[in-house]
């Protein structure tokens, strides 16, 4: 018996070796990630300016000083945060001042298809588009970024992204920490020389930076009072996954995820967040001694190569001033479980077996790559389905579905359901070889909607398909 097992093991090892002869095929752990350079944590954190979502005007432009940096306002690497309420009518004018096409996608919002920036719909240089739709989503932090085929990953990396904060009566009634106590934090990794030119390996792993920025500032510091803060974190990176924690490992109170508040607060000491995912957490500095310094860090995690890096993200320094306290209510919100159904579909993430180096299509979903004319699933408006996902690769894939907030109902291989998965999600992470099932109630926004890996290099490589809502 023992020899049999040893025999099997060595057979696996040999197969494993053969496998790595085309090492990029399975995104093996041999890819070199750029090492992270931490700054001095002396530059103050900047909170992006806000605009009301019913009369927003943003323009995509090249930032002065570097043609490799783009932005939605001159000077700020992040676009303005758009503030709105559930039920409100949106009026956003995008002006394209770039020398190339662009468009906008409202990540997490349920909007009509013609307002959602399909990969083929380009706003040409010098042109403007008025986006108008009504906010159907509940309170939560959503975001916007370009979604133009072939340009999404680069334009997002170069700085085209911004936040959307939606409020509603339910959230208002909780009187959560607000004003100076509510901090939107967009975490992105970038490279010092700014150029975006992924090579083959970087398409495999995704394009990683050599330093970490929060709201466009490298290694920032923020001074806090001795109170409770609401940190609203977006992983806005192209490919990097973070396992966030505080440097002294104090507990954080997780109150919300992609689609708003959780039913009950969850006490967590770390938080794995893939590209596109958001977390809403309360952190208390009430008992900190004056001048205490601590860091938001990203720690090691088991999930392939990426998990081997740990680093500081930003610094908090505690002021002498006493701040506002907050006690979390036992019940934050109500989330009705999506009813179970036999309407199932399966999706397998894999690497194409024959590769054409340099061409699109190594990363596939059900063996397919993106084709604007191809509809993977036709779904009746308002119906419920379960989608079972299998990651057959050694890479991490954050899966995002447009036009819906869904529920992660089972993780059958890999981890069990995560704290942030007790709420509504529009993006969820599959670590290498994991499996998970999600339940979705589809909207009645007729037409084609995208779903894809939010590792933006994988997306550009074709890891994106469409579903169509039919009457
Ligand atoms: Cu945030 Cu289809 O993307
Ligand atoms: Cu989206
Ligand atoms: Cu992926």
């Amino acid at each position: 018996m023992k020899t049999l097992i040893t025999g099997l093991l060595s057979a696996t090892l040999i197969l494993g070796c053969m496998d790595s002869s085309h090492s990029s095929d399975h995104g093996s752990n041999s890819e070199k990630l750029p090492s992270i350079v931490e700054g001095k944590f002396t530059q103050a954190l900047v909170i992006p300016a806000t605009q009301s979502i019913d009369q927003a005007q943003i323009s995509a432009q090249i930032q002065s000083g570097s043609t490799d940096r783009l932005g939605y306002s001159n000077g700020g690497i992040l676009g303005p945060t758009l503030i709105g309420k559930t039920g409100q009518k949106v009026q956003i004018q995008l002006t394209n001042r770039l020398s190339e096409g662009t468009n906008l996608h409202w990540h997490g919002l349920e909007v009509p298809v013609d307002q959602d920036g399909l990969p083929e719909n380009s706003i040409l240089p010098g042109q403007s588009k008025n986006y108008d739709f009504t906010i159907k989503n509940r309170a939560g932090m959503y975001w916007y970024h370009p979604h133009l085929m072939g340009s999404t990953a680069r334009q997002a990396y170069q700085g085209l992204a911004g936040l959307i904060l939606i409020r509603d009566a339910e959230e208002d009634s909780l009187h959560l920490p607000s004003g100076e106590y509510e901090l939107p934090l967009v975490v992105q990794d970038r490279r010092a020389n700014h150029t975006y030119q992924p090579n083959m390996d970087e398409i495999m792993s995704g394009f990683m930076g050599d330093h970490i920025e929060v709201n466009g500032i490298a290694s920032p510091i923020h001074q806090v009072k001795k109170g409770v803060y609401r940190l609203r974190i977006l992983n806005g990176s192209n490919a990097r996954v973070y396992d966030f924690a505080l440097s002294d490992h104090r507990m954080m109170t997780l109150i919300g995820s992609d689609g708003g508040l959780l039913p009950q607060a969850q006490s967590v000491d770390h938080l794995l967040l893939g590209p596109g995912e958001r977390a809403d957490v309360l952190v208390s500095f009430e008992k900190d001694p004056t001048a205490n310094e601590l860091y938001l860090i990203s720690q090691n995690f088991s999930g392939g190569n990426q998990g081997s890096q740990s680093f500081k993200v930003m610094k908090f320094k505690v002021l002498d001033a006493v701040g506002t306290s907050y006690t979390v209510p036992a019940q934050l919100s109500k989330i009705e479980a999506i009813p179970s159904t036999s309407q199932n579909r399966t999706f397998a993430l894999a690497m194409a077996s024959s590769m054409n180096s340099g061409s699109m299509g190594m990363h596939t979903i059900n063996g397919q790559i993106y084709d604007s004319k191809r509809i993977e699933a036709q779904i009746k408006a308002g119906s419920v389905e379960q989608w079972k996902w299998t990651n057959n690769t050694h890479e991490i894939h954050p899966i995002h579905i447009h036009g819906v907030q869904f529920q992660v109902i089972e993780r059958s291989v890999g981890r069990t359901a995560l704290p942030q998965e007790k709420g509504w999600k529009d993006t969820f992470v599959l670590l290498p070889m994991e499996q998970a099932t999600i339940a979705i109630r589809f909207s009645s926004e007729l037409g084609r909607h995208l779903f894809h890996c939010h590792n933006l290099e994988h997306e550009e490589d074709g890891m994106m398909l469409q579903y169509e809502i039919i009457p």
Side-chain angles (χ1 to χ4, degrees):
M1 189 63 189
K2 202 169 178 194
T3 37
L4 179 59
I5 290 173
T6 322
L8 281 172
L9 275 175
S10 49
T12 321
L13 281 176
I14 291 165
L15 281 172
C17 280
M18 285 164 61
D19 238 291
S20 63
S21 58
H22 37 273
S23 81
S24 50
D25 187 6
H26 287 272
S28 71
N29 292 349
S30 61
E31 294 144 17
K32 259 210 156 357
L33 300 181
S35 42
I36 302 273
V37 181
E38 288 170 5
K40 297 202 163 66
F41 298 97
T42 50
Q43 252 199 297
L45 178 75
V46 170
I47 306 296
T50 59
Q51 285 193 22
S52 177
I53 203 163
D54 60 354
Q55 43 182 10
Q57 290 201 330
I58 53 182
S59 63
Q61 50 198 280
I62 298 166
Q63 300 295 287
S64 39
S66 162
T67 50
D68 284 328
R69 284 219 134 176
L70 311 178
Y72 286 120
S73 53
N74 203 7
I77 187 79
L78 276 189
T81 299
L82 307 179
I83 310 279
K85 286 200 286 286
T86 304
Q88 192 174 17
K89 237 182 116 22
V90 160
Q91 200 55 256
I92 305 162
Q93 185 182 59
L94 169 70
T95 304
N96 182 1
R97 298 216 170 91
L98 305 172
S99 48
E100 56 178 313
T102 191
N103 67 11
L104 278 179
H105 164 58
W106 315 101
H107 183 125
L109 295 182
E110 186 185 322
V111 307
V113 165
D114 63 347
Q115 301 297 309
D116 202 31
L118 286 171
E120 297 77 32
N121 294 349
S122 181
I123 301 159
L124 298 173
Q127 296 194 339
S128 302
K129 177 174 164 73
N130 290 310
Y131 290 90
D132 68 81
F133 51 89
T134 300
I135 309 259
K136 294 184 176 172
N137 291 67
R138 63 189 203 124
M141 189 170 85
Y142 307 91
W143 63 300
Y144 58 93
H145 60 78
H147 221 300
L148 194 63
M149 201 66 214
S151 313
T152 305
R154 180 178 47 79
Q155 291 186 350
Y157 175 84
Q158 290 180 322
L160 294 183
L163 294 172
I164 304 168
L165 281 180
I166 304 299
R167 314 285 187 192
D168 66 10
E170 181 189 50
E171 191 199 73
D172 288 349
S173 74
L174 297 175
H175 302 289
L176 289 160
S178 62
E180 65 176 294
Y181 298 99
E182 183 182 25
L183 301 176
L185 304 175
V186 180
V187 181
Q188 297 171 307
D189 57 337
R190 289 200 164 86
R191 293 199 192 168
N193 67 12
H194 292 162
T195 38
Y196 180 82
Q197 232 158 37
N199 59 32
M200 278 288 281
D201 270 356
E202 289 159 347
I203 291 171
M204 297 311 301
S205 58
F207 194 72
M208 313 268 180
D210 56 19
H211 69 277
I212 312 295
E213 297 179 2
V214 183
N215 299 348
I217 307 286
S219 307
I221 179 173
H222 190 66
Q223 313 233 0
V224 292
K225 293 179 180 162
K226 295 176 185 176
V228 177
Y229 282 74
R230 180 181 188 191
L231 311 184
R232 311 201 64 175
I233 307 171
L234 160 68
N235 179 353
S237 309
N238 276 34
R240 189 178 285 280
V241 177
Y242 302 83
D243 193 26
F244 290 114
L246 291 160
S247 48
D248 62 359
H249 299 285
R250 73 182 59 183
M251 300 303 274
M252 305 177 276
T253 307
L254 180 71
I255 59 168
S257 58
D258 304 346
L261 294 168
L262 304 181
Q264 282 104 23
Q266 309 282 317
S267 209
V268 297
D269 62 356
H270 72 111
L271 195 59
L272 193 87
L273 222 56
E277 287 191 293
R278 285 88 72 205
D280 196 348
V281 291
L282 302 179
V283 174
S284 169
F285 301 101
E286 289 162 293
K287 299 202 177 84
D288 285 61
T290 300
N292 195 31
E293 296 184 346
L294 68 157
Y295 294 87
L296 179 68
I297 60 168
S298 180
Q299 44 183 26
N300 294 83
F301 61 93
S302 59
N305 209 11
Q306 283 206 40
S308 65
Q309 293 189 319
S310 61
F311 45 85
K312 302 185 184 93
V313 173
M314 69 172 285
K315 182 176 185 170
F316 293 103
K317 185 162 183 183
V318 182
L319 296 162
D320 195 23
V322 174
T324 310
S325 182
Y326 185 77
T327 311
V328 192
Q331 193 75 24
L332 293 168
S333 169
K334 261 194 83 170
I335 292 185
E336 237 178 89
I338 294 177
S340 70
T341 172
S342 53
Q343 194 56 48
N344 295 320
R345 292 179 206 268
T346 55
F347 295 92
L349 305 170
M351 305 309 301
S353 43
S354 69
M355 275 192 305
N356 258 329
S357 69
S359 75
M360 179 168 117
M362 295 171 291
H363 293 87
T364 64
I365 306 175
N366 283 354
Q368 307 292 329
I369 59 166
Y370 181 70
D371 171 352
S372 63
K373 286 172 219 68
R374 191 192 153 80
I375 302 291
E376 190 66 17
Q378 278 195 324
I379 296 158
K380 243 180 120 48
S383 61
V384 169
E385 296 197 353
Q386 289 187 3
W387 286 14
K388 181 174 180 179
W389 291 81
T390 303
N391 180 2
N392 292 325
T393 77
H394 293 283
E395 294 172 349
I396 303 174
H397 303 286
I399 300 298
H400 170 51
I401 305 178
H402 283 213
V404 287
Q405 291 289 332
F406 52 80
Q407 294 174 356
V408 179
I409 53 172
E410 191 186 17
R411 284 187 173 272
S412 47
V413 176
R415 299 163 297 165
T416 52
L418 314 176
Q420 65 263 40
E421 292 171 349
K422 300 215 153 63
W424 293 102
K425 298 286 294 167
D426 55 51
T427 309
F428 72 106
V429 168
L430 282 168
L431 293 181
M433 310 310 282
E434 277 192 332
Q435 277 180 13
T437 304
I438 60 177
I440 314 168
R441 188 194 303 278
F442 288 91
S443 77
S444 34
E445 299 293 358
L446 302 182
R448 58 195 184 98
H449 300 256
L450 301 166
F451 60 101
H452 58 88
C453 179
H454 218 289
N455 176 313
L456 295 179
E457 284 67 44
H458 294 178
E459 177 198 334
E460 297 285 18
D461 191 43
M463 206 169 215
M464 173 160 74
L465 298 175
Q466 306 181 91
Y467 70 89
E468 183 184 14
I469 299 290
I470 52 170

